[in-house]
């Protein structure tokens, strides 16, 4: 530890001693314009916290103008083929600056090479003490960013007040998701760094309106992606302007190497509670998601107790505009309820491009609860319940039988209430399966409801109007098993049947 003016700086190598070499990016620490020896790697699955808090921070700064946790950095890495993204979030009282512009508190910003992050100096204004973090991306990664690619796609650079950048945050089967800024916000508040939003751009079939945009524009819920504006250009590109959710998806969060890992029951419960809030709201509005899976659940930060957001309403159904049951076979077999009608023999619907309608009795909003059962099973054990040999045929057949194996050692540390919850959602008999309201009343949730509600309002929504946090019972946390990592080989291949 080397004293510098009124600062003490400690860079802890809590991540990995040799991680700089492996990390796709790192932070260089400068003090008073001088480069120090301190270099902090930013690697997947490790938040880099900067602040006074000696226990939690990787870079500890002792100056009183620095907040306990002043700002946080992380990396989101979807899979081997995607480009990692690096973010900074301001959590300070005195402010964090990105390239000279103030960041909004609790907002997250995507970083690019050579960005300079400065921590507020309070009222001292002494240049010799200024701490600068310079964000550096490895050369091999930079060469994979091709700005011309987007021009070739023929996307607009500007739509009303929205400025679209060439920075990609994700690619899906039907569209690309890019970073965008709202120029009106920037003009109104010139001291602040422009906030990052996301725009999903989909190629529509000519003269087709998009149901996804229509549904999303109607919705307003903290656990559902917030859409602000939509626009269709002359080339039938539909632009859906929405909040950027920077913590990556639940699949990437659970994926370590080639395996999915489980998470603690407490952490799982908080995620399930949030998904149920969203499903309850959606189903009340007559909307069924139909493609609920780990990949479509986005995290605000890649850490426990974060807000989660349901995304990708590409095949969602609005039952108000139609009828009460659905007959179209859509979704992802691994998460799909048996009554939806995927057939082990795909010939039955392979001539259809996105979906098929089979002669059957149809299905309703309870298909989302089956998917939640699969998600909960994976979160608690790291195992996909009907995966079998991984082939589509075996997944579909196993789901139809619906047999669960609670004898597996991965269930040993899971409470009976949690097992019963999974069992009640993975009911092949739809009449016996819980709906979203009944799920919220299940003993696994109901037993912890007051704690869940407190955490939800205070920590997740950061909303002080919610129930007060007088006695958040730590007992509850201690009773539940700690996180375990299970090396259950589940291939990471993302597969959607359309
Ligand atoms: N608002 C957002 N903020 C951050 N990342 C996002 C956002 N929306 C989508 N993404 C990411 O972009 C990628 C593609 O998005 P999305 O799933 O909506 O597209 P899609 O074409 O419908 O995909 P799929 O192939 O799953 O059907 C995903 O990796 C997702 O995590």
């Amino acid at each position: 530890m080397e004293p510098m003016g009124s600062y003490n700086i400690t860079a802890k190598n809590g991540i990995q001693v040799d991680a700089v070499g492996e990390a796709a990016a790192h932070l260089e620490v400068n003090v008073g314009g001088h480069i120090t020896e301190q270099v902090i790697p930013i690697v997947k699955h490790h938040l880099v916290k900067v602040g006074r808090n000696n226990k939690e921070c990787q870079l500890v700064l002792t100056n009183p103008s620095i907040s306990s946790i002043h700002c946080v950095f992380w990396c989101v890495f979807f899979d081997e083929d995607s480009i990692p993204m690096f973010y900074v979030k301001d959590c300070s009282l005195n402010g964090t600056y990105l390239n000279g512009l103030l960041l909004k508190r609790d907002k997250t910003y995507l970083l690019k090479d050579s960005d300079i992050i400065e921590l507020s100096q309070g009222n001292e204004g002494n240049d010799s003490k200024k701490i600068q973090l310079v964000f550096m991306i490895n050369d091999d990664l930079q060469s994979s960013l091709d700005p011309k690619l987007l021009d070739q796609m023929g996307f607009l650079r500007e739509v009303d007040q929205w400025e679209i950048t060439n920075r990609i945050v994700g690619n899906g089967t039907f569209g690309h998701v890019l970073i965008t800024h709202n120029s009106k916000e920037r003009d109104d508040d010139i001291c602040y760094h422009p906030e990052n939003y996301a725009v999903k751009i989909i190629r529509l079939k000519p003269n087709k309106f998009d149901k996804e945009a229509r549904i999303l524009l109607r919705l307003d819920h903290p656990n559902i992606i917030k859409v602000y504006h939509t626009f269709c250009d002359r080339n039938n590109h539909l632009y859906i302007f929405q909040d950027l959710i920077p913590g990556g998806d639940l699949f990437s969060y659970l994926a370590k190497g080639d395996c999915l890992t489980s998470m603690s029951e407490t952490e799982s419960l908080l995620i399930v509670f949030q998904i149920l809030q969203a499903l309850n709201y959606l189903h009340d509005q007559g909307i069924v998601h139909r493609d609920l899976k780990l990949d479509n659940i986005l995290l605000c930060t890649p850490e426990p107790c974060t807000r989660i957001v349901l995304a990708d309403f590409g095949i969602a159904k609005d039952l108000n505009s139609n009828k009460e049951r659905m007959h179209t076979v859509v979704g992802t077999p691994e998460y799909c309820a048996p009554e939806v009608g995927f057939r082990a023999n795909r010939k039955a619907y392979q001539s259809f491009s996105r979906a098929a309608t089979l002669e059957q009795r149809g299905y309703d909003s309870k298909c989302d609860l089956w998917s939640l059962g699969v998600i909960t099973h994976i979160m608690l054990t790291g195992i996909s319940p009907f995966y079998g040999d991984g082939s589509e045929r075996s997944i579909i057949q196993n789901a139809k039988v619906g047999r669960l194996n609670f004898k597996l050692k991965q269930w040993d540390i899971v409470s009976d209430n949690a097992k019963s919850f999974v069992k009640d959602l993975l009911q092949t008999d739809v009449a016996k399966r819980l709906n979203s309201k009944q799920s919220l009343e299940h003993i696994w949730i109901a037993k912890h409801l007051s704690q869940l509600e407190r955490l939800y309002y205070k920590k997740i929504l950061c909303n002080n109007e919610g129930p007060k946090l007088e006695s958040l019972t730590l007992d509850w946390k201690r009773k539940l098993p700690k996180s375990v990592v299970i090396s259950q080989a589940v291939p990471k291949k993302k597969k959607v049947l359309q």
Side-chain angles (χ1 to χ4, degrees):
M1 196 155 71
E2 224 176 282
M4 302 215 182
S6 62
Y7 281 97
N8 276 349
I9 299 181
T10 320
K12 292 193 285 187
N13 251 336
I15 301 171
Q16 283 167 25
V17 179
D18 60 347
V20 185
E22 293 168 25
H26 60 268
L27 293 166
E28 286 177 7
V29 184
N30 296 348
V31 178
H34 299 289
I35 298 169
T36 68
E37 297 291 300
Q38 311 280 22
V39 172
I40 302 171
I42 307 179
V43 294
K44 192 185 169 188
H45 292 306
H46 289 280
L47 266 65
V48 172
K49 296 185 180 176
V50 177
R52 278 187 294 112
N53 188 322
N54 190 27
K55 285 199 181 109
E56 284 198 42
C57 293
Q58 277 68 44
L59 181 65
V60 184
L61 305 167
T62 57
N63 187 289
S65 68
I66 301 292
S67 298
S68 170
I69 310 268
H70 201 95
C71 57
V72 183
F73 296 83
W74 67 84
C75 165
V76 167
F77 209 161
F78 286 109
D79 52 44
E80 305 311 318
D81 304 327
S82 65
I83 300 164
M85 284 161 292
F86 299 90
Y87 292 98
V88 58
K89 178 179 172 182
D90 172 56
C91 320
S92 71
L93 281 177
N94 288 329
T96 304
Y97 294 80
L98 178 58
N99 301 324
L101 289 171
L102 192 57
L103 301 185
K104 287 188 184 158
R105 193 167 176 207
D106 287 326
K107 294 283 176 190
T108 303
Y109 299 80
L110 187 63
L111 292 168
K112 61 180 186 321
D113 190 51
S114 305
D115 272 349
I116 296 175
I117 300 98
E118 279 172 307
L119 313 185
S120 173
Q121 303 303 294
N123 294 325
E124 290 172 36
N126 184 347
D127 278 357
S128 68
K129 294 173 189 167
K130 266 198 174 150
I131 304 277
Q132 268 190 352
L133 304 173
V134 185
F135 173 76
M136 308 291 279
I137 296 186
N138 289 358
D139 287 348
D140 52 341
L141 197 65
Q142 288 199 51
S143 59
S144 60
L145 299 164
D146 179 3
K148 287 194 204 110
L149 201 73
L150 291 159
D151 289 331
Q152 286 161 10
M153 288 172 180
F155 296 154
L156 295 175
R157 295 280 126 201
E158 241 178 270
V159 172
D160 301 330
Q161 78 266 36
W162 298 93
E163 295 166 353
I164 302 167
T165 72
N166 54 25
R167 309 194 66 191
I168 300 180
V169 279
N171 290 314
T173 319
F174 305 108
H176 303 274
V177 183
L178 312 181
I179 292 282
T180 179
H181 303 293
N182 185 337
S183 60
K184 192 167 176 300
E185 260 177 27
R186 192 195 45 212
D187 297 345
D188 290 351
D189 241 332
I190 49 169
C191 322
Y192 283 102
H193 196 284
E195 258 184 68
N196 291 156
Y197 293 89
V199 56
K200 180 168 171 177
I201 308 179
I202 310 167
R203 183 76 191 252
L204 286 182
K205 291 199 182 118
N207 306 320
K208 286 263 173 186
F209 64 90
D210 195 81
K211 281 185 277 171
E212 176 173 6
R214 286 201 181 186
I215 289 176
L216 282 169
L217 276 170
R218 269 177 48 198
L219 302 176
D220 187 11
H221 189 276
N223 299 115
I224 293 172
I225 189 73
K226 173 86 194 131
V227 167
Y228 297 96
H229 184 55
T230 61
F231 176 82
C232 193
D233 72 11
R234 286 186 187 163
N235 298 323
N236 282 311
H237 287 134
L238 178 78
Y239 299 71
I240 308 177
F241 295 91
Q242 54 191 266
D243 273 336
L244 172 73
I245 310 296
D249 63 26
L250 197 48
F251 187 96
S252 318
Y253 185 67
L254 291 177
K256 304 235 161 88
D258 283 340
C259 304
L260 285 179
T261 59
S262 61
M263 56 169 72
S264 75
E265 204 170 313
T266 314
E267 201 178 346
S268 308
L269 189 54
L270 206 47
I271 291 179
V272 169
F273 183 70
Q274 293 185 70
I275 298 175
L276 279 174
Q277 299 300 323
L279 288 184
N280 201 19
Y281 170 84
L282 278 179
H283 295 172
D284 269 354
Q285 309 253 331
I287 290 165
V288 189
H289 188 284
R290 302 203 293 181
D291 200 14
L292 212 56
K293 54 182 171 177
L294 294 177
D295 318 51
N296 290 337
I297 297 165
L298 304 180
L299 285 74
C300 288
T301 36
E303 62 179 340
C305 205
T306 189
R307 182 163 67 97
I308 60 97
V309 172
L310 302 196
D312 195 358
F313 281 65
I315 53 173
K317 183 81 176 171
D318 182 353
L319 294 176
N320 299 303
S321 64
N322 210 316
K323 43 195 178 271
E324 284 188 359
R325 293 185 74 74
M326 296 159 283
H327 295 80
T328 315
V329 184
V330 285
T332 308
E334 197 180 338
Y335 299 85
C336 208
E339 70 274 12
V340 172
F342 272 108
R343 299 252 165 111
N345 171 11
R346 277 196 74 192
K347 279 200 183 117
Y349 45 79
Q350 71 182 7
S351 57
F352 297 83
S353 58
R354 275 191 78 175
T357 305
L358 300 175
E359 285 303 314
Q360 56 175 330
R361 281 181 314 190
Y363 58 97
D364 61 14
S365 59
K366 281 197 184 169
C367 65
D368 284 344
L369 277 306
W370 174 280
S371 310
L372 177 59
V374 175
I375 291 168
T376 313
H377 191 292
I378 298 176
M379 287 194 294
L380 291 170
T381 62
I383 300 167
S384 185
F386 308 115
Y387 203 75
D389 64 11
S391 69
E392 198 174 295
R393 171 180 284 271
S394 94
I395 290 171
I396 294 165
Q397 273 168 355
N398 290 341
K400 279 209 157 62
V401 176
R403 194 174 304 122
L404 298 170
N405 184 359
F406 290 115
K407 292 210 174 90
L408 290 170
K409 68 174 187 334
Q410 286 85 343
W411 284 110
D412 287 355
I413 52 159
V414 177
S415 71
D416 287 343
N417 286 340
K419 288 180 201 161
S420 146
F421 181 81
V422 170
K423 200 166 110 255
D424 289 353
L425 294 190
L426 295 177
Q427 277 287 349
T428 50
D429 181 347
V430 187
K432 287 190 192 152
R433 192 182 310 152
L434 303 180
N435 64 24
S436 51
K437 281 203 172 47
Q438 291 164 335
S439 303
L440 280 165
E441 286 159 11
H442 185 280
I443 179 78
W444 190 45
I445 310 275
K447 197 174 169 197
H448 307 295
L449 192 62
S450 58
Q451 293 97 326
L452 283 167
E453 282 179 345
R454 281 185 197 139
L455 277 175
Y456 187 68
Y457 287 108
K458 187 77 182 179
K459 293 258 185 205
I460 295 189
L461 303 187
C462 300
N463 175 1
N464 293 322
E465 287 158 23
K468 293 242 176 326
L469 188 81
E470 290 136 8
S471 58
L472 178 64
T473 49
L474 292 169
D475 277 4
W476 167 67
K477 279 191 172 174
R478 289 201 196 108
K479 270 184 212 156
L480 295 168
K482 287 215 167 94
S483 165
V484 286
V485 176
I486 295 150
S487 294
Q488 175 74 23
V490 176
K492 284 207 296 172
K493 194 114 187 91
K494 301 181 181 186
K495 201 177 205 178
V496 187
L497 250 196
Q498 301 297 342

